[in-house]
Amino acid sequence: MPPDPKAAAATTAAHDPRPTLGPAAAFAITIGIVVGAGIFRTPSLVAGASSSGAMMLIAWLVGGALSVVGALCYAELATTYPQAGGDYAYLRRAYGRRPAFLYAWARLTVIQTGSIVLLAYVIGDYMQQLFDLGPWSSSLYAAATVVVLTAVNWWGVRQGTTVQNVLTAVEIAGVLLIIVAGLLFAPAAAPTHFGGGADGSSLGLVLVFVLLTYGGWNEAVYITSEVRDARRWMPRILVLSLIVIAALYLLVNLAYLRVLGLGGMAASDAVAADLVRAAFGPTGSAVMSAIVVAAALTSANATMITGARSVYAVGRDFPALGFIGRWDRQHGTPRAAMLAQGVLSLLLVGLAATAIDGFRTAVEYTAPVFWLFFLLVGLSLFVLRRRDPGRERPFRVPLYPVLPLLFCATSAYLLYSSLAYTGMGALVGVGVLALGGVLLLFLEPSTRTQESP
């Protein structure tokens, strides 16, 4: 007897995500991913590569503007194809399932799990300052972070987003504390001359660090299919969240600059802690450690929420990996994908525990792979406009094709910069990507097509 099309459709729908998230939850997830530990770490690197305070502040403004351009490109893709999978879904439509699988492979093994582990170790390092558990303290805290957040999000999307909303509120409160302390309470630094670099290489390095700190806003597209009235809200969520973040970043860096000066920022390994210490004394260090832990927890939790969605999407396209392509409608989460992501993250925590500088190594091998696929997503906008001209596009990128070309050029430049400024780490990332290519030889894509809602 031939299969019943209605029954097949019902079975497929049973494994699809439902639009259960409101705009506020999606906004919190986006803010939580971007405003993470980076704003407490990278400003000193930006200051060290800047020739003046004005140049540094302009770099943060330019970084926000370039991120908004990217968000406009993603808004068109997300509203035209509002389904789980985000970048993976766009790459699949533009280039086919095999190239898209390479992205999903890189995301699972390098980009997303690597980001989770980096954030987990930030939490571990700062928790060690608060409550030292011995020589393996940082690794133990990192492993506990992965286990607890995986369990929370495995239990259900409502639990995960509730935690996200609370942590985002704590995180933003911490950022506002830095702004208020730096602009109103801490004494201003004496004017000093700091000679940085003003040539093209230093400007490129500044943008690499700045855009690294803005990174992560694209993760919001992975929950598009779970956002109520996504075609209306996703462009607003992406653009407005970046405007808010850019304003916060400018104010935070203005506070750093006022209290520490450009030279003091460049010389500091913990600019936020130094600023709060200047305002509130020795207790400022402990307060700042708690704030950084909250910020890193926020980003790690949001990264887990979105990361599991891309793992789920690739599981649906390759029957051999079908066990991770199941959606639990009762709990509103891809449980198997969440577990797979958590297990791999735990393995990476173990590997990082044996490295001399696991954080730096992970950044090196992650960046080139990330910017390669970011460039391909930008190009997919052109491909899909040409290949799918009749598709309804509720939102279109303004000033097409100028803004998408600017986004692609920025991604290509950062791909080049990430390769130029890294060594063995970049080779490791390429090697992991090549391993995914070998795996593809043994995987056959499903013949089933997935249409967006």
Side-chain angles (χ1 to χ4, degrees):
M1 178 181 295
D4 184 355
K6 292 184 178 180
T11 301
T12 299
H15 295 290
D16 285 338
R18 291 182 296 178
T20 59
L21 299 179
F27 185 83
I29 290 172
T30 306
I31 294 285
I33 293 173
V34 179
V35 185
I39 193 59
F40 306 117
R41 296 175 64 97
T42 57
S44 60
L45 302 176
V46 175
S50 300
S51 60
S52 67
M55 172 187 170
M56 182 192 73
L57 293 175
I58 289 173
W60 286 101
L61 183 61
V62 170
L66 290 175
S67 297
V68 169
V69 170
L72 290 171
C73 296
Y74 267 75
E76 174 171 328
L77 291 169
T79 55
T80 305
Y81 309 104
Q83 61 189 103
D87 301 64
Y88 172 80
Y90 315 144
L91 292 169
R92 183 189 65 215
R93 285 180 176 272
Y95 311 115
R97 285 191 173 91
R98 291 186 180 276
F101 172 81
L102 288 180
Y103 169 75
W105 168 260
R107 184 175 170 85
L108 175 62
T109 58
V110 178
I111 299 172
Q112 205 73 357
T113 48
S115 297
I116 292 169
V117 172
L118 288 175
L119 292 164
Y121 265 97
V122 170
I123 294 167
D125 291 340
Y126 277 89
M127 283 300 298
Q128 186 176 17
Q129 296 182 20
L130 296 173
F131 306 103
D132 194 346
L133 301 179
W136 297 97
S137 180
S138 185
S139 297
L140 290 173
Y141 279 123
T145 298
V146 171
V147 170
V148 171
L149 291 183
T150 297
V152 168
N153 287 288
W154 178 84
W155 184 254
V157 68
R158 296 185 188 279
Q159 289 74 18
T161 54
T162 298
V163 171
Q164 186 65 31
N165 291 339
V166 173
L167 291 176
T168 298
V170 173
E171 176 183 63
I172 298 302
V175 172
L176 293 176
L177 172 62
I178 294 172
I179 294 172
V180 172
L183 297 181
L184 300 180
F185 291 98
T192 57
H193 174 73
F194 176 71
D199 58 12
S201 62
S202 67
L203 290 173
L205 187 59
V206 165
L207 285 178
V208 168
F209 292 140
V210 166
L211 288 170
L212 172 67
T213 314
Y214 276 105
W217 49 264
N218 61 303
E219 297 297 308
V221 300
Y222 286 88
I223 57 169
T224 300
S225 62
E226 298 166 71
V227 176
R228 293 190 294 270
D229 199 6
R231 291 185 171 181
R232 174 188 176 195
W233 284 108
M234 284 311 297
R236 302 181 189 184
I237 290 168
L238 287 169
V239 174
L240 290 179
S241 64
L242 280 170
I243 292 174
V244 170
I245 291 164
L248 289 174
Y249 281 4
L250 281 171
L251 290 172
V252 166
N253 279 277
L254 188 61
Y256 288 150
L257 187 62
R258 176 184 177 273
V259 176
L260 303 176
L262 195 64
M265 289 179 65
S268 174
D269 291 329
V271 286
D274 289 344
L275 184 151
V276 176
R277 186 180 296 110
F280 303 117
T283 56
S285 179
V287 170
M288 201 63 246
S289 294
I291 291 173
V292 173
V293 167
L297 273 171
T298 306
S299 292
N301 187 65
T303 302
M304 283 192 170
I305 291 173
T306 58
R309 271 64 181 172
S310 61
V311 178
Y312 152 81
V314 76
R316 297 201 65 192
D317 277 350
F318 290 85
L321 303 175
F323 67 97
I324 59 174
R326 297 180 179 276
W327 193 273
D328 190 310
R329 287 180 67 87
Q330 180 181 353
H331 296 88
T333 187
R335 282 188 153 190
M338 188 68 69
L339 283 179
Q341 177 180 256
V343 169
L344 186 53
S345 296
L346 273 180
L347 292 176
L348 290 176
V349 168
L351 291 175
T354 64
I356 297 176
D357 190 349
F359 184 90
R360 178 175 179 176
T361 301
V363 170
E364 287 181 350
Y365 80 72
T366 300
V369 176
F370 172 80
W371 287 111
L372 168 63
F373 285 105
F374 224 41
L375 172 60
L376 291 177
V377 170
L379 293 173
S380 74
L381 182 63
F382 296 97
V383 174
L384 291 173
R385 277 222 184 180
R386 178 179 293 272
R387 180 177 297 171
D388 200 7
R391 185 84 177 191
E392 179 188 0
R393 286 174 167 77
F395 178 85
R396 288 176 175 266
V397 181
L399 301 178
Y400 181 91
V402 176
L403 293 187
L405 285 174
L406 178 60
F407 173 62
C408 291
T410 302
S411 299
Y413 174 70
L414 290 170
L415 170 60
Y416 161 77
S417 298
S418 61
L419 288 169
Y421 292 121
T422 56
M424 288 298 296
L427 296 179
V428 174
V430 172
V432 171
L433 189 61
L435 183 59
V438 173
L439 184 61
L440 260 180
L441 298 175
F442 303 96
L443 293 176
E444 286 296 329
S446 170
T447 57
R448 175 177 56 83
T449 60
Q450 291 182 9
E451 291 297 327
S452 62

